[in-house]
Amino acid sequence: MAAWNMLTLVGADRSGIVAQVTRTLYQLGGNLGEASMIRLGGNFTIMLMVRGDFSTEAMLEALAPVSAKLDLRVHVDAVRGELHQHQVPNFQVRVNGADRAGIVAEVTAILAALGFNILELDSNVAGEVNQPLYLMNIQGFCDAPLKALENALAPLIAQGVAVTVTPLELMIG
Amino acid sequence: MAILDILKLPDSRLKQVSQPVTQFDAALQHFIADLEATRQAGPSAVGIAAPQVACFQRMVIVDVSGRPKTPNHGYLVLINPEIVHWEGHAIGREGCLSVPDYTGNVIRATAIRLRAQDCDGQLHEFEMEGYEARAVQHEMDHLDGLLFVDRVVSRRTDLYRRKSARLD
């Protein structure tokens, strides 16, 4: 089985990027794995696992016409791919506050000190143009109890950043 | 008792709509025992539906009594179940014996009133909330050929929804 590559792609958002990129990879003989694709600040971004019997250079070469046409920046790295090994998050951390530098660094430093492993993080700058609001949503796994997370985050909350931690319950049926 | 084979996606039989149970006999009791043994043999499932083992009749088993601090009605065999009232909605993470290695967020009613028959055909009514109500809704979906993957919502969508209409 061929090794996995991680394809990273960024370009101004427009209709048809996914269709044309994945068609090209399919025609090259590529097989797709897990992916994250999302619009960030008007850019469309792709992180995509791809494998096939071709070199990373061949993949970039095949994508060159589409990249040029849609003005996309594409990057490929060989990676270790592990399918069928999903980790299930047991905590959700929601953050919101007046947008300022440092919120992410401060929240995640506290979480990291407790061994919290971030499995997914998304953030948005919303609110009004002259009064931006920063919103962040983290899902991850941590062995520490809820109280320990809340206590560790309390000083930050006292400074006016709204942070809530919610245990996530998985129901298997 | 036997451990039955569990149908897994993409098996199209999971999309089949199950038929009402009409015979409350020894064969039914025997099947329920096998279904429960199959649930217990799996990875910590709190429920199982008959169609998950290719029996397309309207019956499910739910038991959330093993979870601490969870309101529950104990071990429940629900035959021909019907939800007659829904209240509230919340997002929660679900997994399924029929969809290994995948979990996703699903919106479910937070409280339900349920009518169902037991193994002997007796009709009962239950008021359920939270985790137990979620488990019942998940299992009952199987009876209509629906899986939780048909209802998964994106976490990013949740964030926006919460801003306009609190869902939890």
Side-chain angles (χ1 to χ4, degrees):
Chain A
M1 190 64 80
W4 286 105
N5 294 286
M6 188 66 74
L7 182 147
T8 313
L9 181 151
V10 185
D13 190 27
R14 58 190 288 180
S15 161
I17 295 174
V18 179
Q20 293 181 60
V21 168
T22 55
R23 165 64 56 176
T24 303
L25 294 170
Y26 172 58
Q27 286 169 339
L28 185 66
N31 180 28
L32 309 185
E34 299 184 354
S36 162
M37 306 190 190
I38 199 157
R39 182 183 153 106
L40 298 174
N43 304 290
F44 193 69
T45 69
I46 295 178
M47 299 287 287
L48 173 63
M49 289 172 71
V50 186
R51 71 176 166 192
D53 292 321
F54 42 74
S55 64
T56 55
E57 292 75 23
M59 199 189 315
L60 286 168
E61 197 178 316
L63 286 166
V66 175
S67 311
K69 184 174 138 203
L70 301 177
D71 195 19
L72 307 171
R73 276 155 288 153
V74 181
H75 180 83
V76 178
D77 290 301
V79 292
R80 198 172 53 131
E82 292 182 340
L83 298 184
H84 313 291
Q85 295 188 34
H86 288 113
Q87 275 200 318
V88 177
N90 64 342
F91 284 111
Q92 173 153 355
V93 181
R94 299 191 185 107
V95 179
N96 73 71
D99 190 25
R100 64 163 173 82
I103 296 178
V104 182
E106 289 164 10
V107 171
T108 55
I110 291 167
L111 297 177
L114 283 166
F116 189 110
N117 185 27
I118 295 173
L119 298 170
E120 195 169 313
L121 182 155
D122 62 65
S123 69
N124 274 272
V125 180
E128 312 287 344
V129 174
N130 58 358
Q131 201 176 350
L133 173 70
Y134 188 79
L135 295 137
M136 178 166 64
N137 189 14
I138 297 173
Q139 302 213 354
F141 185 84
C142 187
D143 277 323
L146 174 64
K147 200 71 204 158
L149 287 164
E150 286 177 338
N151 289 344
L153 289 162
L156 198 56
I157 295 168
Q159 291 168 30
V161 182
V163 187
T164 58
V165 185
T166 316
L168 293 175
E169 295 183 310
L170 175 65
M171 196 288 295
I172 297 178
Chain B
M1 283 183 293
I3 308 295
L4 308 169
D5 286 338
I6 292 190
L7 301 186
K8 298 189 172 104
L9 271 188
D11 193 315
S12 61
R13 287 175 289 173
L14 287 164
K15 308 275 183 198
Q16 197 168 321
V17 176
S18 293
Q19 298 303 308
V21 174
T22 53
Q23 300 284 325
F24 295 84
D25 52 15
L28 178 78
Q29 318 286 341
H30 187 78
F31 171 76
I32 291 289
D34 286 350
L35 188 62
E36 172 63 2
T38 306
R39 178 185 78 86
Q40 293 201 7
S44 60
V46 294
I48 190 166
Q52 287 182 279
V53 296
C55 170
F56 301 98
Q57 297 203 49
R58 301 187 78 82
M59 49 189 151
V60 307
I61 293 174
V62 169
D63 185 356
V64 304
S65 63
R67 291 178 49 83
K69 298 180 195 162
T70 306
N72 72 86
H73 293 81
Y75 168 75
L76 289 174
V77 177
L78 304 170
I79 298 183
N80 300 326
E82 261 187 88
I83 295 173
V84 293
H85 184 73
W86 286 264
E87 257 181 59
H89 45 275
I91 291 173
R93 202 173 186 94
E94 299 183 14
C96 184
L97 296 172
S98 297
V99 192
D101 191 43
Y102 183 76
T103 63
N105 289 335
V106 180
I107 298 172
R108 302 281 188 192
T110 48
I112 56 172
R113 192 156 69 240
L114 178 76
R115 270 186 213 136
Q117 288 168 280
D118 62 20
C119 287
D120 301 315
Q122 296 296 311
L123 193 63
H124 299 270
E125 193 163 298
F126 304 93
E127 302 266 352
M128 293 181 173
E129 60 175 0
Y131 196 84
E132 187 179 46
R134 172 171 295 275
V136 166
Q137 291 169 80
H138 175 112
E139 300 312 333
M140 284 181 62
D141 264 356
H142 283 295
L143 306 180
D144 292 321
L146 280 171
L147 295 168
F148 82 100
V149 293
D150 300 315
R151 296 192 186 272
V152 163
V153 293
S154 90
R155 284 181 275 291
R156 205 172 176 88
T157 308
D158 305 345
L159 188 69
Y160 286 112
R161 287 188 181 191
R162 280 194 190 96
K163 282 165 67 185
S164 54
R166 286 185 65 89
L167 287 177
D168 57 350

